[in-house]
Amino acid sequence: MEQSFLAYLKGRTRSLLQVDVGIGDDAAVIRSPAWPLVACTDQIIDGVDFAFDEHDLADVGYKAMAINLSDIAAMGAVATSALVTLTLPKQNATKVAGEVYEGIIEAAKQYDVAIAGGDLSTYDGPLAISITVLGHVAEGQPWLRSGALEGDVVLASGSFGGSILGRHLRPTPRLELAAAIGKLATVHAAIDVSDGLSLDLDRMCASSGYGVELDVDAIPVHPDAIKLSAKTGREPFQHAWSDGEDFELLLSVSPEDAERLLAADLPAPLTAIGKIVGRTGLWRKHEGKFLRLSPQGYLHGE
Ligand SMILES: [Mg+2]
């Protein structure tokens, strides 16, 4: 199927300026307008990360691209191009590839990412989609998890919880927001929320060697978390705290930069949810005492 499908793909994927040589040669030739180059990859597999029989394959393709773009946003980078590898079940391979690609192409168009190449193979096994996204940092340094400083304010984009009701299939990678923030502030540390607000926040703090004192009441709870709580009987806050797949950004910035960002007109809302403190872990102050909160979320492979 490879040759004819590649011909179809070549027609479907736009050529963008950032790619000199795309699909059709031994390797892609990609132009990076700036350094450093930033790269990430993520694979999703039927039966592990999605269910072939339940989910629209275009949605699954869209998600596979969007979760990578979210990682690029979390580095404060601009996404340029993507390499896409599909491992397809033998049955209806071309049809399945076409459906998955519809979502991949949709996300690529939306975020100006060129599909520069990839691979297709068929086998007797479940569908797996692996996407590698390349990007670059336009100005300043890439945002790492490890750079938070004591006294920083922790900002969160958007709101959290209940993504399983549908948002998880069509997440909004915060590329536009990251670009706007990069122009206004120096981000000390950042992470995107894939596995749970509290778990990913804990990861950023642990990488930095600090902890966070949270203003728990300030954490923005998504309306989906409230809807879901009616079904699960759990508090909406619990869903916001641990559900994951929100693909929002958590950022650690100086109090001055936090003030500037909170006053700015940005492509997505930001909320101050806590401050970086010397003691490691997640904390809340309650009646003058510090209470330790336990991070919860999705742990891979457990
Ligand atoms: Mg990430």
Side-chain angles (χ1 to χ4, degrees):
M1 68 171 281
E2 187 159 331
Q3 287 314 317
S4 56
F5 191 77
L6 285 184
Y8 155 81
L9 257 191
K10 255 186 118 165
R12 287 287 283 115
T13 50
R14 284 188 303 170
S15 51
L16 290 178
L17 277 179
Q18 55 262 41
V19 176
D20 283 348
V21 179
I23 296 166
D25 214 307
D26 294 305
V29 181
I30 295 161
R31 209 168 266 266
S32 176
W35 295 92
L37 183 71
V38 175
C40 64
T41 191
D42 215 324
Q43 174 166 252
I44 59 174
I45 303 174
D46 174 26
V48 180
D49 305 288
F50 66 93
F52 189 92
D53 299 329
E54 274 171 46
H55 294 124
D56 181 320
L57 293 179
D59 282 347
V60 173
Y62 188 97
K63 179 177 183 172
M65 185 66 110
I67 58 180
N68 276 290
L69 296 177
S70 179
D71 279 328
I72 295 285
M75 300 299 287
V78 176
T80 318
S81 51
L83 302 169
V84 177
T85 297
L86 301 187
T87 314
L88 299 150
K90 273 201 182 102
Q91 212 180 2
N92 298 324
T94 306
K95 181 172 176 280
V96 169
E99 285 176 29
V100 172
Y101 255 103
E102 282 312 308
I104 291 175
I105 290 167
E106 186 187 336
K109 276 192 181 157
Q110 207 172 333
Y111 295 99
D112 273 330
V113 176
I115 295 167
D119 195 18
L120 289 164
S121 46
T122 58
Y123 76 142
D124 199 8
L127 171 64
I129 305 164
S130 170
I131 299 186
T132 299
V133 173
L134 304 176
H136 62 270
V137 175
E139 48 193 308
Q141 296 296 314
W143 304 344
L144 307 184
R145 296 178 181 185
S146 54
L149 299 172
E150 194 169 354
D152 274 0
V153 175
V154 176
L155 300 175
S157 70
S159 56
F160 297 85
S163 70
I164 193 80
L165 293 183
R167 259 155 60 233
H168 72 117
L169 287 169
R170 295 252 163 186
T172 303
R174 295 300 191 187
L175 287 165
E176 213 190 324
L177 177 67
I181 289 171
K183 289 198 179 90
L184 291 172
T186 303
V187 173
H188 294 157
I191 192 169
D192 68 319
V193 175
S194 50
D195 296 337
L197 165 63
S198 57
L199 198 58
D200 287 318
L201 178 59
D202 191 53
R203 285 174 178 149
M204 185 177 83
C205 292
S207 291
S208 297
Y210 289 109
V212 62
E213 184 190 325
L214 285 163
D215 179 358
V216 169
D217 298 327
I219 291 173
V221 175
H222 195 280
D224 285 346
I226 298 163
K227 254 192 236 165
L228 189 59
S229 78
K231 289 189 199 164
T232 61
R234 295 172 67 207
E235 289 292 317
F237 176 79
Q238 279 306 316
H239 286 292
W241 184 251
S242 62
D243 277 359
E245 298 214 299
D246 303 291
F247 299 103
E248 296 295 350
L249 296 179
L250 301 174
L251 308 153
S252 184
V253 298
S254 71
E256 298 74 35
D257 274 349
E259 210 174 306
R260 185 173 322 120
L261 289 170
L262 290 168
D265 186 17
L266 295 167
L270 288 179
T271 308
I273 62 166
K275 66 172 189 219
I276 300 291
V277 294
R279 56 171 86 190
T280 57
L282 307 177
W283 303 90
R284 77 179 294 190
K285 222 181 204 169
H286 185 67
E287 292 170 357
K289 283 186 191 150
F290 280 101
L291 301 178
R292 188 161 191 160
L293 303 166
S294 62
Q296 285 152 16
Y298 180 76
L299 294 167
H300 295 263
E302 287 183 21

